[in-house]
Amino acid sequence: MPFIILLFSGFVSKQFKRLRLSIKLVDLIIPYMFLLLFIMSHLYLPINLIPYIAIIISLIAISLATYLAFYKKELSIYMFIRIWWRIVFIVCLVAYIGAGIWVFFL
């Protein structure tokens, strides 16, 4: 289902640009993917994936903040959240695809 929504990302991005908002469709899909991962793991998988994803995302946030603060010597909250939110999307997408493959082969 998120793949179908991603097909219309160009149209949705144009609508947000008309309103002068810098929101991309990827930003809106992440909560939806969390909900789908929760439902998929609750119904079809023997384990719940959400705590593991939360731990991975938290570790990525800590390591990204450490990198930006100590190596780049500049910790901008806007830049941190922007980079981190994109990484969260990639983690959720990989988990979603992995759960789908896992359910398919069961």
Side-chain angles (χ1 to χ4, degrees):
M1 189 63 130
F3 299 114
I4 294 171
I5 296 172
L6 284 174
L7 292 176
F8 299 106
S9 66
F11 175 73
V12 174
S13 295
K14 286 179 187 177
Q15 299 302 319
F16 282 128
K17 282 184 183 178
R18 285 186 185 168
L19 297 173
R20 293 186 181 109
L21 294 172
S22 64
I23 298 174
K24 298 196 182 333
L25 189 65
V26 172
D27 300 333
L28 300 175
I29 287 180
I30 293 171
Y32 179 70
M33 288 181 72
F34 270 121
L35 181 65
L36 284 177
L37 279 170
F38 175 73
I39 293 170
M40 280 178 63
S41 65
H42 191 62
L43 292 177
Y44 301 116
L45 302 175
I47 60 170
N48 189 1
L49 295 176
I50 298 299
Y52 297 107
I53 293 173
I55 291 171
I56 290 170
I57 290 171
S58 299
L59 291 175
I60 289 172
I62 292 169
S63 61
L64 179 63
T66 303
Y67 172 75
L68 290 175
F70 292 115
Y71 292 112
K72 291 263 186 157
K73 304 288 187 206
E74 180 181 349
L75 182 59
S76 169
I77 299 298
Y78 174 75
M79 196 59 147
F80 167 76
I81 290 177
R82 187 173 177 179
I83 294 170
W84 179 71
W85 198 247
R86 300 290 186 240
I87 293 170
V88 167
F89 172 72
I90 293 169
V91 169
C92 286
L93 186 65
V94 168
Y96 184 75
I97 291 171
I101 290 171
W102 192 355
V103 167
F104 182 72
F105 284 113
L106 285 179

